[in-house]
Amino acid sequence: QAALLSQDEAFQRFVVEEYAPDQGQTEATATFWVRFLCDVKSRADILPDTEAAAKFKQLRDDFYLWRDENDFWEATREVRP
């Protein structure tokens, strides 16, 4: 899941806006921050029932909330004249 999420453009935007405003919106940036925030050397180290998995779940949940809020605001902006 972590590898797929790092490829998601919306997740990349989330990472830049929330953690790395001075870095580019890329898969490499997203991958770095997933590893850093989950305290692992590789995304493959995010195993079920570990502290890394709990950290990843929190990161993913934070992203989902951010995405849902931004989808709402983008949809609202599109409706305005």
Side-chain angles (χ1 to χ4, degrees):
Q1 279 188 339
L4 290 176
L5 197 59
S6 295
Q7 295 171 11
D8 184 301
E9 288 185 23
F11 182 73
Q12 294 169 12
R13 183 174 162 200
F14 162 76
V15 167
V16 168
E17 289 187 15
E18 297 295 315
Y19 301 102
D22 60 337
Q23 296 177 9
Q25 181 180 322
T26 66
E27 182 178 347
T29 298
T31 297
F32 170 84
W33 282 96
V34 167
R35 290 191 318 247
F36 179 79
L37 293 168
C38 295
D39 195 26
V40 294
K41 291 182 181 178
S42 168
R43 292 171 297 184
D45 295 333
I46 302 172
L47 301 171
D49 301 319
T50 64
E51 187 175 341
K55 290 177 179 181
F56 177 73
K57 181 185 180 307
Q58 183 62 57
L59 177 62
R60 188 189 60 211
D61 291 349
D62 291 346
F63 163 62
Y64 290 158
L65 287 172
W66 175 92
R67 182 193 62 191
D68 293 347
E69 289 173 2
N70 280 286
D71 284 349
F72 169 76
W73 289 112
E74 287 178 19
T76 303
R77 269 188 260 145
E78 291 173 8
V79 173
R80 293 180 185 163

